[in-house]
Amino acid sequence: MNIRYDWTLEELEMLYHLPLLELISTSNQLHNKYHEPSEVQVCSLISIKTGGCPEDCKYCAQSSRYQTAVSATPLMSYEAVLNEAKKSS
Ligand code: SF4
């Protein structure tokens, strides 16, 4: 099976209705075909403005518009963010 972007609705419905273990097995085979199975991609997040954002996106804990037990911290400097990124790579 090759990577595709032209799935039809019927094909997606067929995948959706596959037995779970068959779906897991097929997924694993495809993953191993395109990725080194022993490697894991690691990503990390840092909060660069904890509780200090002036926006209010409702779902986000970084907004300064809510009273919480977490103390707000100022926006991290560009250099500090860059240094944290370098530690992760
Ligand atoms: S998602 Fe959070 S950090 Fe981003 S703008 Fe909205 S409130 Fe601010």
Side-chain angles (χ1 to χ4, degrees), residues 47-49 51-66:
S47 176
I48 65 169
K49 56 180 178 181
C53 182
E55 300 297 329
D56 184 7
C57 294
K58 305 293 185 200
Y59 60 86
C60 180
Q62 306 310 325
S63 175
S64 62
R65 298 183 186 215
Y66 301 100

Side-chain angles (χ1 to χ4, degrees), residues 29-60:
Q29 290 170 25
L30 283 171
H31 178 83
N32 292 346
K33 180 177 177 182
Y34 294 104
H35 303 278
E36 174 56 49
S38 62
E39 291 183 359
V40 176
Q41 180 181 352
V42 177
C43 300
S44 61
L45 295 172
I46 59 169
S47 176
I48 65 169
K49 56 180 178 181
T50 300
C53 182
E55 300 297 329
D56 184 7
C57 294
K58 305 293 185 200
Y59 60 86
C60 180

